[in-house]
Amino acid sequence: MKISVLTASVRPEGLDIVKNCLDKQDFPHDQFEWIIVGNKEVYDYASKWHETGDYWVNVVLERPKKEGDFYNIDKAYNDLFKNASGELAVMWTDLTWASPTVLTDFWTHYQKDPNICVGGVGDQYLEEGEFRIPKIMVWKDPRSRTDYGSFWEINPIDFEMCLASIPVRAVKEAHGWKEKWDQFAAMGEKELCLRMDKLGYRFFLSNVIEYKAIKHPRIKPEEWDVRYEAGCEYMRECISNINQGIDLLGDLDETDKKLPQM
């Protein structure tokens, strides 16, 4: 298997747009798989795609939250990678559209340099339009630029995983996400990128790889800011440790067996 497309989701209705895009990919369908980790609603909804198409769809039920958790995303990311059998992971968030060439584009970059992580540039839109392509842009990606051409290196902390490729071995060498990040709002993937940077992996953006995401509300918006501020404090601690070369491993246990599959 060449590519594992990985989606962590709590929005079953947001998976249809990804499925529609994957069905149209020009990359060989027997050379990629789609792995989804989600809640019970996602698990039940996505079960209709299991073994029905020409690429493998594996749906895994997320683990329960621990006491004090705000999110479950970092546990879900680790579980996605525990089940990934491809060389290259393509992180693909629900409610996100991309072109039929996007898997080929990511694979081409990986073939040129297997030690890089590549992100797409994406804006947010209000709703789906014709052919399920989002329409009415309401937010523009501030990372988008033209003065560096179509492909440029970025600081790892500016890397976003809405639509991005990461060598699977990079995440496994870093032992994945620290699941403590589920106590906070966002930033767990940023800290992982900083640790992968210490391992020698580099981070790039491509203007050619474009995605369009449908804007959606935050989960528990009344609590989000509080959890985010607490996460900023934890991030400062993590950055200090990373700079000192300590505490560089996450919570992905490579000795674990794969999780039960549907």
Side-chain angles (χ1 to χ4, degrees):
M1 187 69 63
K2 292 181 177 178
I3 293 177
S4 294
V5 179
L6 306 180
T7 302
S9 177
V10 294
R11 294 177 288 267
E13 72 283 356
L15 296 172
D16 288 332
I17 189 170
V18 181
K19 177 68 162 55
N20 186 57
C21 292
L22 289 176
D23 287 346
K24 297 176 180 177
Q25 290 300 300
D26 65 2
F27 196 78
H29 285 204
D30 63 347
Q31 291 300 313
F32 74 86
E33 61 183 354
W34 186 23
I35 304 174
I36 304 164
V37 172
N39 57 21
K40 186 64 163 55
E41 290 76 18
V42 165
Y43 184 90
D44 291 342
Y45 186 83
S47 64
K48 62 187 177 183
W49 297 320
H50 185 59
E51 293 186 321
T52 60
D54 54 358
Y55 54 88
W56 174 255
V57 180
N58 180 20
V59 187
V60 178
L61 188 63
E62 68 180 9
R63 285 180 273 154
K65 287 183 177 179
K66 297 178 182 177
E67 184 177 354
D69 282 351
F70 178 64
Y71 276 167
N72 228 12
I73 189 70
D74 300 284
K75 287 189 286 293
Y77 281 150
N78 277 340
D79 292 346
L80 285 167
F81 276 87
K82 286 178 183 177
N83 283 273
S85 58
E87 291 181 51
L88 182 67
V90 171
M91 314 299 290
W92 196 322
T93 304
D94 59 18
L95 292 173
T96 301
W97 174 93
S99 78
T101 67
V102 69
L103 294 186
T104 298
D105 293 338
F106 280 131
W107 185 255
T108 298
H109 284 299
Y110 176 69
Q111 291 293 284
K112 290 179 180 177
D113 189 340
N115 295 313
I116 63 173
C117 304
V118 179
V121 174
D123 307 322
Q124 293 181 6
Y125 291 75
L126 193 60
E127 61 187 44
E128 286 188 52
E130 190 176 8
F131 306 117
R132 311 208 71 164
I133 301 175
K135 66 177 184 178
I136 311 177
M137 187 174 71
V138 293
W139 181 87
K140 187 168 181 58
D141 192 336
R143 302 171 304 159
S144 181
R145 58 193 302 166
T146 58
D147 52 333
Y148 288 167
S150 62
F151 189 73
W152 65 98
E153 189 167 6
I154 61 170
N155 188 309
I157 208 165
D158 292 327
F159 195 71
E160 297 284 350
M161 295 191 184
C162 187
L163 185 71
S165 68
I166 305 171
V168 170
R169 60 186 166 81
V171 171
K172 293 190 174 181
E173 286 175 20
H175 286 240
W177 278 256
K178 291 182 177 178
E179 295 178 4
K180 182 177 178 179
W181 280 109
D182 279 335
Q183 298 176 17
F184 310 110
M187 292 190 289
E189 72 281 3
K190 306 288 189 181
E191 191 264 351
L192 170 62
C193 289
L194 291 171
R195 287 188 280 117
M196 290 195 297
D197 177 67
K198 284 292 186 183
L199 293 171
Y201 293 93
R202 297 158 64 205
F203 297 81
F204 291 82
L205 284 186
S206 170
N207 267 334
V208 175
I209 299 175
E210 175 192 17
Y211 62 88
K212 298 182 178 183
I214 296 176
K215 186 176 177 61
H216 57 275
R218 290 170 173 167
I219 297 173
K220 299 181 182 178
E222 69 285 353
E223 191 178 350
W224 197 94
D225 287 341
V226 174
R227 296 282 189 152
Y228 179 78
E229 289 300 323
C232 289
E233 184 63 32
Y234 180 51
M235 177 63 89
R236 284 189 281 271
E237 175 188 333
C238 290
I239 291 174
S240 176
N241 288 338
I242 290 168
N243 289 338
Q244 295 176 68
I246 60 176
D247 197 21
L248 296 180
L249 299 181
D251 295 322
L252 176 67
D253 185 355
E254 293 183 63
T255 65
D256 280 353
K257 294 181 179 179
K258 288 187 176 183
L259 299 175
Q261 301 178 5
M262 189 175 67

